[in-house]
Amino acid sequence: MRVAVPIFPGSNCDHDALHACGTVMGWETIPVWHQEARLPEGTELVFVPGGFSYGDYLRCGAIAALAPIMADVKRHADNGGLVLGVCNGFQILCEAQLLPGALLRNESLRFIHADVHLRVERADLPFTQAMKAGEVFRVPIAHAEGNFTLDPADLADLEARGGVAFRYCSAQGEIGEDHVPNGAMNGIAGIVNLQGNVLGMMPHPERAVDPKLGPTGGLGVFRSLAAAFSKV
Amino acid sequence: MSVAHEPAVTEPLALELGLSKDEWQVLLRLLDGRLPTYPELGVFSAMWSEHCSYKSSRIHLKNLPTEGPRVIQGPGENAGVVDIGDGWAVAFKMESHNHPSFIEPYQGAATGVGGILRDVFTMGARPLANLNSLRFGEIDAPRMKGLVKGVAAGIAGYGNCMGIPMLGGDCAFDASYNGNILVNAFTLGVLRSDKIFKGFASGIGNKMMYIGSKTGRDGIHGASMASAEFGEGSEEKRPTVQVGDPFTEKLLLEACLEIFQTDWVIGIQDMGAAGLTSSSFEMASRAGTGLEIRLDQVPMREEGMTPFELMLSESQERMLLVARPGCEEKIIAVLHKWGLDACVVGEVTDSGRFIGSWHGEPVINLPIQPLVDAAPKYDRPRQRPGYLDAVAAAPLPADLKPAEVERTLRQLLQAPTVASKRWIFEQYDGTVRSNTLLGMGRGDAGIIRVKDEAGQDTGKAVAMSSDCNSRFCYLDPFWGAAHAVAEACRNLACVGAEPIGLTDCLNYGNPEKPENMWTFEQGCLGIRQACLALDVPIVSGNVSLYNDTEGQSIFPTPMIAAVGLIEDCSGPVVLGAPDATALSKVGNRLCGASFRAAHDGIFLLGETRDELGGSEYLKLRTGKVQGACPELRLDEELRLQACVREGIRLGLIRSAHDTSEGGLVVAALESAFGANDGEGMGCQLMLTRGALRLDSLLFGETAGRIVVSVSAEAESSLATLCATHRVPFAKIGATGGARFTLAVDGQPLLDAEAAELKGLHAGALEAALG
């Protein structure tokens, strides 16, 4: 169970990722500087953390996507390795073209920190297998650019192939514009690639796993990953 | 190389730069009659500005109690440091960025956050929590909506990017701030108590290093701008507002914390107000040394910069550092790894002088200690303002009629000062770094846990809250300031924490007006009285004077941020004891403000008096801030706070919320609105009026009161606890249901859907901002 957490200048949720994977889950978790050419030997999961890599200058995630370590993250993904990108990590994976789409400014044009409810749309992924389809869990969001956008044809493709992993919903699991905090198309909170090994999501499951800090809605993702590791 | 376009130094130029005629004479004596060079004059104008020299406030600041068994570093350094046990300490401070925020709200507020963060991490602490205290004018005043939005976005833009969670703060609106808003930012960091870094330039021959961003022309004269009144044309000062780059500061933070792990650093100081000037003079003055700085080697953002500009620029995200001999290259390597500039710009000398050279030519040659010692210190004239008697004697309106209660409550819930600030604080990341035990909007104070370097929980938790009711300070400058201390500590008690230190940000008007100076002195004395009574020291602080626009001073606003400790917060946290069995096993370690369950008893601890002075209610009815400032009984306050802390620790108290703006009914409703994870619940209040006016009972702002909820089984224990602490208490209602009902002496006055009232409270600010 070896997890690599790439750290870019301006990453600031790296600590949360290390805490969730290392301290809470007890996995071997290794921070990796962006200028490294290689992930640590035997890396099973790459957790691309949130933050403001390169100050969000140019475009969120655009510069980090070109960092040396990202070439090896792509190689890892191409070989079927697991990659989880959260918040800025999701933006980086989109910019690196490991995932489709783009994250635009929130509809309100403001940064939003709030707890949201997510509905599990795919329960057959390494990231979701410990949850049930339709299950609702609660995790925080903290972003200014989480408005997931894709051109209509690609969006239809994404939906058709089951590329949506999580959708914003009400506490009861209802889908609708009222429950989407940032204007994301189809209420999309997280997506997965065609192969099912790269997942990006705006909400922060890693901030909702330590019982001392409150509800642990994010644990489902980590229990799923634990199950995925044990299969390796 | 000569310096182009330097104006000739004359007395009128000195006056233009903010020096007084007397100060100009002192300056000439200090230079034995020679005229200063232009950059030298710049140094004097900055070092002797109110902002840097505290020349009007120093004699009064001496009154503040600054010592205590836990104090490791009191006022005078970049931040105060307080021991929290087992080798751990917290560093914290609050600072103002009022004038820049009024001129350019986004950058002004953002750089305010950036500055206070640097003050804290300069001490060697990792910043782990922010607070902010904001005062705006009436929401319909010119520019005000834009100022609110800009300030909130600026604070968010900087703090979020830095990855520092916002733990709380306070925000109020009053006409007195129409032309001069207040933006006070607080940061708390955690460090090892034996690894504290200070601003010392010691060790003759040691290298002075410049690290961080390049120097540009921004913020020149920022310190003198903060030392003058606002008038027409202040917008022209926009170029004096600094521009922040939180990304660079994040890199600087990580680079500094990385080099602090080594023994390469002898002293370090942030280049804040008056930039290179104040950092170098203060560092050398503390160490009793001299400095030689080669100004032409300072990294510059643009061509053609002059020594004057380099000395006075307030470009952000820069530090001045003294390196241990031989460690310079290693320090540079770390800074380069983080993509930042770092270079040697000079040496520590034994001359006691500051020599600034420009391509080999000395352009500044000033004695450091005499310049610092000769900094003006004024015992300015003071006079009790005439308005005080008039406002105290203002007649009260007739008591509220029962039929008017519902309409009044609805108006109060929507008053910007009372309404939910969610619209603002939702813009701040409140949980990054996985330490937040009690976040914004959930309790009377914010709480973080403390982890060690390996990320393991130390079992300690730190609480923080900032407060000041400036209407009280307007009505009574002494007791209003004392109230600010008491309320900040009361908020800590409401979450279960013991106060261990305070920081203040004293925002007042032009000190050259005797009335303002009297008010300032009274504020310091009031803070002193409350600190002594509650046994908590001031460990750091900031003074912001000249908060005037076109001759109109703000209400005196001595903002107080209190830091508290929950010594044993190990193991699971039970927020407000969800059930009786859980509480008997683990007790309660901390407590939120929201009701936890239906059918709990609601109790009021503390006594309600006929006190309407300065209340939001009175403002609503009369349009004026008037009346007598509510009384503050410090001995009762001390017992009340101890009682609530113990009740929380024993697991009796499930929620605690102090009454403040809006009074008792609003406080109880706020506890109801936050229940069920923010979904809200109803409650039934049954009050007894006794000899009180109806409006005093419902909406008066008597201090020293806390609304708590307890389970039915715990009611008798609460009674015993209150009796032990000699705290008056009364059952005032019960939680639960979907409706809010209010009865006084058995007479029903109000029956409304709780969710509908919650909606008014939640939506008012956003609606008002349009």
Side-chain angles (χ1 to χ4, degrees):
Chain A
M1 300 188 195
R2 180 169 281 187
V3 183
V5 179
I7 298 178
F8 306 92
S11 293
N12 65 29
C13 306
D14 47 335
H15 180 91
D16 299 315
L18 295 168
H19 179 73
C21 295
T23 310
V24 177
M25 298 306 293
W27 300 335
E28 185 192 4
T29 308
I30 305 169
V32 182
W33 189 235
H34 65 115
Q35 286 178 334
E36 298 287 327
R38 304 289 301 215
L39 293 164
E41 200 63 37
T43 294
E44 288 166 87
L45 169 70
V46 177
F47 189 146
V48 189
F52 289 68
S53 60
Y54 295 93
D56 278 353
Y57 297 145
L58 185 58
R59 250 185 353 260
C60 303
I63 305 177
L66 305 172
I69 193 64
M70 287 307 293
D72 209 40
V73 172
K74 279 183 198 165
R75 185 195 54 78
H76 172 82
D78 289 345
N79 293 339
L82 299 179
V83 180
L84 171 64
V86 168
C87 200
N88 187 224
F90 183 16
Q91 295 160 348
I92 293 169
L93 295 182
C94 291
E95 288 287 344
Q97 302 192 346
L98 283 165
L99 290 171
L103 286 312
L104 306 185
R105 289 291 298 278
N106 294 343
E107 216 168 32
S108 68
L109 303 181
R110 294 191 299 273
F111 187 101
I112 305 169
H113 174 238
D115 278 351
V116 296
H117 292 96
L118 301 184
R119 194 175 77 182
V120 178
E121 303 291 289
R122 286 276 305 271
D124 59 339
L125 300 166
F127 310 92
T128 58
Q129 56 186 316
M131 299 187 272
K132 294 188 197 72
E135 186 178 329
V136 175
F137 64 105
R138 179 173 160 156
V139 284
I141 54 165
H143 61 246
E145 283 94 2
N147 183 352
F148 182 78
T149 303
L150 203 56
D151 69 65
D154 291 340
L155 183 65
D157 270 0
L158 182 77
E159 291 280 7
R161 72 163 169 83
V164 178
F166 305 116
R167 236 184 273 277
Y168 299 107
C169 65
S170 72
Q172 289 72 41
E174 299 138 324
I175 301 295
E177 268 179 36
D178 287 355
H179 311 301
V180 182
N182 49 22
M185 284 182 172
N186 294 4
I188 291 172
I191 60 171
V192 67
N193 66 348
L194 191 58
Q195 295 72 26
N197 64 324
V198 178
L199 184 136
M201 62 192 296
M202 287 313 298
H204 289 274
E206 81 283 14
R207 289 197 202 173
V209 291
D210 184 340
K212 184 152 182 171
L213 303 179
T216 53
L219 267 180
V221 171
F222 290 86
R223 288 197 180 119
S224 301
L225 286 165
F229 291 150
S230 63
K231 280 182 201 153
V232 174
Chain B
M1 188 188 288
S2 67
V3 181
H5 314 305
E6 280 203 339
V9 173
T10 59
E11 181 171 340
L13 180 65
L15 300 189
E16 204 179 299
L17 289 180
L19 293 172
S20 71
K21 283 177 184 256
D22 290 344
E23 289 162 5
W24 171 248
Q25 291 305 323
V26 176
L27 180 163
L28 290 179
R29 276 202 297 280
L30 208 64
L31 297 180
D32 297 324
R34 107 173 138 83
L35 278 178
T37 65
Y38 183 53
E40 285 175 344
L41 182 62
V43 167
F44 279 103
S45 78
M47 288 299 291
W48 290 0
S49 70
E50 187 66 55
H51 195 72
C52 292
S53 74
Y54 293 87
K55 57 191 170 191
S56 306
S57 59
R58 260 189 297 166
I59 64 163
H60 303 294
L61 295 176
K62 278 201 316 233
N63 289 319
L64 301 176
T66 58
E67 286 171 11
R70 289 185 181 275
V71 178
I72 296 174
Q73 175 66 56
E77 263 292 344
N78 289 305
V81 181
V82 178
D83 191 356
I84 59 169
D86 300 320
W88 292 97
V90 286
F92 57 89
K93 190 182 180 186
M94 181 151 58
E95 260 192 3
S96 62
H97 231 212
N98 303 335
H99 287 178
S101 301
F102 189 75
I103 296 173
E104 211 298 275
Y106 185 98
Q107 290 299 342
T111 52
V113 175
I116 192 65
L117 282 166
R118 279 195 305 285
D119 277 338
V120 167
F121 73 76
T122 304
M123 303 294 294
R126 178 176 278 284
L128 290 178
N130 285 339
L131 302 174
N132 64 81
S133 288
L134 311 177
R135 294 294 176 274
F136 295 109
E138 289 170 311
I139 204 132
D140 293 321
R143 289 184 65 213
M144 201 51 63
K145 295 183 177 82
L147 288 171
V148 174
K149 292 175 185 173
V151 165
I155 292 171
Y158 211 102
N160 294 344
C161 181
M162 288 289 291
I164 317 294
M166 185 66 73
L167 263 284
D170 72 327
C171 174
F173 297 78
D174 202 288
S176 111
Y177 306 104
N178 280 359
N180 193 126
I181 62 172
L182 302 184
V183 175
N184 292 181
F186 164 100
T187 292
L188 175 136
V190 171
L191 70 168
R192 289 279 186 184
S193 49
D194 59 354
K195 286 280 273 181
I196 298 174
F197 288 82
K198 295 185 185 178
F200 263 77
S202 54
I204 309 306
N206 284 348
K207 302 294 183 207
M208 300 297 295
M209 299 186 66
Y210 173 110
I211 65 175
S213 287
K214 292 178 167 58
T215 298
R217 288 197 166 100
D218 50 337
I220 292 172
H221 296 309
S224 25
M225 172 175 72
S227 309
E229 279 193 32
F230 262 13
E232 276 193 45
S234 289
E235 310 79 54
E236 290 163 19
K237 293 186 175 168
R238 189 165 294 128
T240 61
V241 178
Q242 312 87 327
V243 176
D245 177 3
F247 172 58
T248 299
E249 177 133 316
K250 169 71 173 162
L251 303 179
L252 186 61
L253 163 68
E254 298 301 336
C256 284
L257 292 180
E258 190 171 327
I259 55 175
F260 289 162
Q261 299 298 312
T262 68
D263 62 353
W264 306 340
V265 178
I266 287 180
I268 183 165
Q269 181 149 336
D270 157 43
M271 291 192 231
L276 185 56
T277 295
S278 63
S279 54
S280 54
F281 274 77
E282 285 174 17
M283 288 181 82
S285 159
R286 287 192 197 110
T289 54
L291 292 179
E292 277 188 34
I293 302 285
R294 293 177 288 278
L295 292 166
D296 49 283
Q297 293 180 1
V298 168
M300 288 170 236
R301 203 185 293 157
E302 46 196 306
E303 285 182 15
M305 289 192 67
T306 65
F308 179 93
E309 290 169 334
L310 291 165
M311 287 302 288
L312 292 194
S313 164
E314 293 188 5
S315 287
Q316 299 286 292
E317 296 98 23
R318 306 177 299 156
M319 298 272 194
L320 194 62
L321 177 155
V322 183
R324 192 172 294 283
C327 299
E328 298 83 0
E329 290 306 315
K330 292 186 278 193
I331 291 171
I332 289 170
V334 171
L335 269 294
H336 284 179
K337 170 188 154 191
W338 289 98
L340 295 170
D341 268 309
C343 60
V344 172
V345 292
E347 287 84 33
V348 181
T349 69
D350 61 359
S351 70
R353 300 186 77 82
F354 181 95
I355 314 276
S357 65
W358 184 248
H359 298 284
E361 292 283 308
V363 290
I364 301 173
N365 184 346
L366 293 171
I368 289 169
Q369 204 56 47
L371 188 149
V372 171
D373 291 342
K377 180 158 98 173
Y378 296 133
D379 185 0
R380 292 196 188 273
R382 297 183 289 285
Q383 190 187 340
R384 186 173 181 275
Y387 78 83
L388 285 171
D389 294 326
V391 292
L396 288 175
D399 195 359
L400 196 65
K401 296 189 183 72
E404 295 165 342
V405 167
E406 177 157 1
R407 186 173 52 92
T408 304
L409 176 65
R410 285 170 181 274
Q411 286 174 333
L412 274 177
L413 289 172
Q414 296 176 80
T417 295
V418 173
S420 167
K421 306 300 183 300
R422 179 168 295 276
W423 186 89
I424 292 176
F425 71 67
E426 250 187 9
Q427 299 181 51
Y428 309 138
D429 193 337
T431 54
V432 60
R433 295 198 73 79
S434 298
N435 292 322
T436 305
L437 295 176
L438 198 60
M440 288 173 292
R442 297 184 59 211
D444 280 18
I447 307 181
I448 54 162
R449 54 124 169 248
V450 177
K451 292 200 295 259
D452 66 14
E453 294 87 345
Q456 299 296 323
D457 203 314
T458 62
K460 293 178 187 299
V462 179
M464 62 211 84
S465 167
S466 64
D467 290 283
C468 176
N469 185 324
S470 58
R471 289 178 180 166
F472 292 178
C473 298
Y474 169 72
L475 299 180
D476 189 325
F478 179 96
W479 284 108
H483 270 293
V485 173
E487 188 182 352
C489 293
R490 194 183 310 135
N491 285 334
L492 296 182
C494 285
V495 301
E498 177 99 35
I500 55 170
L502 308 178
T503 179
D504 59 19
C505 192
L506 308 177
N507 306 274
Y508 284 82
N510 182 346
E512 295 160 42
K513 295 178 189 162
E515 291 82 3
N516 284 338
M517 211 57 236
W518 185 88
T519 301
F520 182 81
E521 179 189 38
Q522 291 297 308
C524 291
L525 293 172
I527 291 170
R528 172 187 173 80
Q529 179 128 342
C531 283
L532 292 175
L534 301 177
D535 193 21
V536 55
I538 303 271
V539 300
S540 57
N542 170 237
V543 177
S544 170
L545 302 176
Y546 296 95
N547 287 293
D548 301 62
T549 297
E550 284 155 28
Q552 186 63 45
S553 304
I554 59 161
F555 282 173
T557 315
M559 220 77 85
I560 300 288
V563 172
L565 178 64
I566 302 174
E567 204 133 13
D568 179 15
C569 201
S570 53
V573 165
V574 179
L575 182 64
D579 66 72
T581 50
L583 69 88
S584 63
K585 279 186 214 139
V586 298
N588 246 357
R589 294 184 173 88
L590 51 89
C591 185
S594 303
F595 297 145
R596 296 295 294 176
H599 314 302
D600 279 354
I602 306 173
F603 286 77
L604 176 66
L605 309 193
E607 178 186 87
T608 303
R609 295 181 285 271
D610 260 324
E611 294 180 311
L612 290 169
S615 65
E616 186 69 32
Y617 160 79
L618 202 57
K619 178 81 199 294
L620 188 71
R621 274 199 69 188
T622 66
K624 295 194 179 101
V625 177
Q626 56 186 23
C629 173
E631 201 182 332
L632 178 62
R633 299 180 180 173
L634 285 164
D635 51 339
E636 293 179 11
E637 184 71 45
L638 193 62
R639 294 202 302 272
L640 172 75
Q641 294 184 14
C643 176
V644 168
R645 264 196 307 273
E646 190 176 345
I648 291 169
R649 192 171 49 77
L650 293 173
L652 299 175
I653 292 176
R654 289 176 147 182
S655 72
H657 182 33
D658 82 322
T659 69
S660 57
E661 288 90 348
L664 174 60
V665 175
V666 167
L669 273 173
E670 284 170 344
S671 291
F673 294 158
N676 286 332
D677 261 347
E679 298 290 307
M681 69 165 64
C683 66
Q684 296 75 50
L685 293 187
M686 291 155 283
L687 306 177
T688 309
R689 180 166 158 184
L692 291 173
R693 288 167 61 114
L694 180 62
D695 47 11
S696 300
L697 172 70
L698 302 178
F699 306 123
E701 296 182 13
T702 295
R705 297 181 301 164
I706 298 177
V707 174
V708 305
S709 63
V710 300
S711 67
E713 308 86 83
E715 288 189 11
S716 63
S717 306
L718 182 72
T720 310
L721 180 74
C722 289
T724 311
H725 287 273
R726 289 186 288 133
V727 169
F729 74 102
K731 184 165 185 180
I732 59 166
T735 64
R739 300 196 72 77
F740 169 68
T741 63
L742 171 66
V744 172
D745 293 335
Q747 184 197 353
L749 292 184
L750 202 160
D751 182 351
E753 197 188 329
E756 194 243 341
L757 296 179
K758 178 176 155 60
L760 295 179
H761 183 253
L765 188 57
E766 183 167 6
L769 286 170

